[in-house]
């Protein structure tokens, strides 16, 4: 990455990145999946390749804050079931990137997210009428965890867009707000930290990009504080609707870019 381009950001460009960083903090502690808007902002202000390297440490700051706030609510059996499938998804995503251009990647991820949102809405409606949400301990629950895990690993590898897929899985599995946020916090902290060596090896992260990250991290903290305040004032139904809406918005952005 030519990190000199990071020093050519205009005042308005930095302001946009700061708002996106604030939204990262909010999404990590309130409405998971909303940071798909941040992905689009970073890619619009910075060169596409550079944006992934700058955004990753910002996401990790949000992950750390979310873990500190919701660490007691994580459901580790779900996490252990997801990680092997996520690893397989990362491998598939790597192979996909060998031949797919940016347009194919964006269209594929956008289509996957829209499909996941539609399936989740359908499942929630049928569950309201006739059945309990799938348990991760059942055979169907394990299969679902593997399917979403592969999709999550695939999307996080090719577009840093694994958040909405995992959001759809946790909603479909019947997680309540705090369990949802605690489980996703640990999941993304582990996944994002594991990606740092690869990003650094590709030249996407270096001293100059980390200086920009240090400035943007200051905006993640108030975003997380706003999210913590807001989540206690959002009922479960509205929470689920906001997560699904954020997922659809992120999918549409990917399809239209």
């Amino acid at each position: 990455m030519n990190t000199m381009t990071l020093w050519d950001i205009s005042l308005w460009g930095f302001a946009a990145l700061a708002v996106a960083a604030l939204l990262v903090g909010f999404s990590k502690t309130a409405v998971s999946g909303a940071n798909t808007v941040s992905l689009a902002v970073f890619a619009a202000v910075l060169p596409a390749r550079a944006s992934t390297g700058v955004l990753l440490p910002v996401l990790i700051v949000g992950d750390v804050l979310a873990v500190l706030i919701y660490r007691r609510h994580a459901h580790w059996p779900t996490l252990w079931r997801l990680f092997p499938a996520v690893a397989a998804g990362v491998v598939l995503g790597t192979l996909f990137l060998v031949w797919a251009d940016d347009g194919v990647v964006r269209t594929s991820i956008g289509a996957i997210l829209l499909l996941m949102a539609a399936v989740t809405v359908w499942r929630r409606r049928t569950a309201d009428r006739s059945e309990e949400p799938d348990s991760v301990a059942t055979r169907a629950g394990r299969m679902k965890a593997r399917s979403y895990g592969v999709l999550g690993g695939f999307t996080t590898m090719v577009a840093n867009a694994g958040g909405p897929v995992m959001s759809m899985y946790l909603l479909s599995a019947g997680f309540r707000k705090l369990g949802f946020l605690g489980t996703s916090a640990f999941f993304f902290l582990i996944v994002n930290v594991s990606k740092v060596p690869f990003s650094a090896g590709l030249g996407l992260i270096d001293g100059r990009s980390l200086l920009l990250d240090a400035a943007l991290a200051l905006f993640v903290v108030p975003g997380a504080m706003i999210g913590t305040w807001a989540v206690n004032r959002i009922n479960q139904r509205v929470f689920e609707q906001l997560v699904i809406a954020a997922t659809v918005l992120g999918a549409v952005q990917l399809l239209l870019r």
Side-chain angles (χ1 to χ4, degrees):
M1 176 181 67
N2 180 10
T3 51
M4 288 301 293
T5 59
L6 301 179
W7 302 102
D8 297 328
I9 302 172
S10 67
L11 180 60
W12 288 110
F14 182 81
L17 293 178
V19 172
L22 187 145
L23 185 57
V24 166
F26 179 81
S27 71
K28 294 292 185 179
T29 57
V31 183
S32 182
N35 63 357
T36 52
V37 178
S38 300
L39 302 179
V41 172
F42 270 71
V45 174
L46 301 172
R49 185 175 173 82
S51 70
T52 61
V54 175
L55 180 59
L56 183 56
V58 175
L59 293 174
I60 291 174
V61 172
D63 293 328
V64 170
L65 293 172
V67 164
L68 291 175
I69 296 168
Y70 299 118
R71 61 188 179 278
R72 289 178 293 182
H73 303 284
H75 189 254
W76 282 98
T78 295
L79 291 171
W80 290 123
R81 286 189 177 93
L82 284 170
F83 285 137
V86 171
V90 169
V91 173
L92 290 175
T94 302
L95 296 175
F96 181 72
L97 288 173
V98 170
W99 65 268
D101 60 25
D102 287 345
V104 173
V105 169
R106 288 194 299 269
T107 300
S108 300
I109 300 303
I112 289 171
L113 296 184
L114 285 178
L115 176 61
M116 292 301 99
V119 169
T120 299
V121 170
W122 175 77
R123 288 181 61 86
R124 299 300 289 180
R125 288 182 176 176
T126 56
D128 287 342
R129 292 197 300 266
S130 61
E131 58 181 288
E132 295 294 324
D134 289 337
S135 167
V136 293
T138 66
R139 181 176 179 181
R142 289 192 295 270
M143 288 299 297
K144 183 167 66 176
R146 291 166 186 164
S147 300
Y148 277 85
V150 170
L151 284 174
F154 179 85
T155 52
T156 196
M157 184 65 201
V158 302
N160 270 334
V165 174
M166 287 298 100
S167 295
M168 294 300 95
Y169 168 68
L170 294 176
L171 285 184
S172 69
F175 276 80
R176 306 295 289 177
K177 282 189 299 184
L178 295 181
F180 178 109
L181 292 166
T183 304
S184 62
F186 273 100
F187 176 85
F188 284 108
L189 178 61
I190 294 169
V191 170
N192 285 332
V193 168
S194 71
K195 290 161 59 177
V196 170
F198 299 99
S199 295
L202 292 170
L204 301 177
I205 296 177
D206 64 10
R208 291 175 175 176
S209 68
L210 288 175
L211 284 176
L212 178 59
D213 285 319
L216 293 176
L218 298 176
F219 298 92
V220 179
V221 176
M225 295 173 63
I226 294 171
T228 304
W229 173 85
V231 76
N232 294 321
R233 291 161 175 79
I234 302 174
N235 66 42
Q236 182 68 24
R237 177 69 65 179
V238 173
F239 175 80
E240 294 175 3
Q241 292 172 344
L242 289 173
V243 171
I244 292 171
T247 300
V248 172
L249 177 61
V252 172
Q253 286 178 327
L254 288 168
L255 289 171
L256 296 180
R257 280 172 56 189

